Amino acid sequence: MPVESIEDPSIKIKPNKKLIEFICKNVKKTSSTPAAITALKKSTKDKQKDILLKLDDLRWLNKYLEEYRTNHMESIYLHELLEEDDIRLPTPKVTPRNPELEARTQKLKAQQNAMKYRAMTKNVDTTTKNLPEDTISYQMKQINKQLIAVAQFIFSVLAGFAFGFVGLELIVGTLDFGFRLLLGIICALVIALAEIYFLAIKLNEDAYDAASTAPPHKKLHQE
């Protein structure tokens, strides 16, 4: 699934019971006390579970513990208070894929796998040895489709050029030859780009339609 950029890259820590008790009992509120630690002291037990600490809060708490060990002669270290804490790393937001796109992707994968399977087993399975695409008539039909598509492309481009070179002059009036030539080339290029796009889509659909309409393979053994 596609993911978006991380909105909040900060690492957050959910304090455990031991850390909460130490902050509530021993940490005194000052002007430099972080907002998260102040919220832990003021909140009830139910709301304390939803408060998360950041790295800046832990740095401040580490400095506070250094002064606390000096004044109270107690060996309390930050890593002891952070034991069994839940660390939450920044994660990108996952965007769910379009269900229609996912269904079409799975369909195309299944068709491609079926084509590969038939190509691998046609030499060993007598029932599928003569595939439709192996016959001359099938190849001729495909060649005719491609020739017709190319002919349509050429005629469409020529018609677009004729419209820009001759048709606009008949509608507007007498125009300079160079300007008419430029209009014809522009019209031909626009039509050529559109025809190439639709031609690519048509050829792609024909390839997968042939795979989906092919007869299913028969098993070589009985279960």
Side-chain angles (χ1 to χ4, degrees), residues 55-92:
L55 294 180
D56 293 337
D57 302 330
L58 297 181
R59 293 191 185 98
W60 182 90
L61 187 59
N62 186 42
K63 294 181 179 179
Y64 182 86
L65 286 173
E66 292 177 357
E67 298 178 359
Y68 183 84
R69 288 193 297 269
T70 304
N71 299 330
H72 296 79
M73 305 298 290
E74 293 185 25
S75 300
I76 300 178
Y77 295 91
L78 181 62
H79 69 275
E80 297 176 350
L81 299 176
L82 294 178
E83 290 180 353
E84 300 180 359
D85 274 356
D86 184 13
I87 300 176
R88 299 185 180 182
L89 300 176
T91 55

Side-chain angles (χ1 to χ4, degrees), residues 8 24 28 77 139 185 216:
D8 186 5
C24 293
K28 296 180 180 180
Y77 295 91
Q139 299 295 334
I185 294 175

Side-chain angles (χ1 to χ4, degrees), residues 117-126 128-131 134:
Y117 180 82
R118 291 199 310 273
M120 290 188 298
T121 59
K122 69 178 182 179
N123 293 329
V124 296
D125 190 353
T126 56
T128 60
K129 187 173 183 179
N130 296 323
L131 297 175
D134 294 336

Side-chain angles (χ1 to χ4, degrees), residues 176-192:
D176 184 67
F177 177 81
F179 185 67
R180 290 164 52 199
L181 182 63
L182 180 61
L183 289 176
I185 294 175
I186 292 174
C187 293
L189 286 177
V190 172
I191 294 176

Side-chain angles (χ1 to χ4, degrees), residues 98-109:
N98 189 330
E100 296 181 359
L101 176 62
E102 184 67 21
R104 179 170 175 79
T105 302
Q106 296 300 328
K107 180 181 178 181
L108 294 179
K109 286 182 179 179

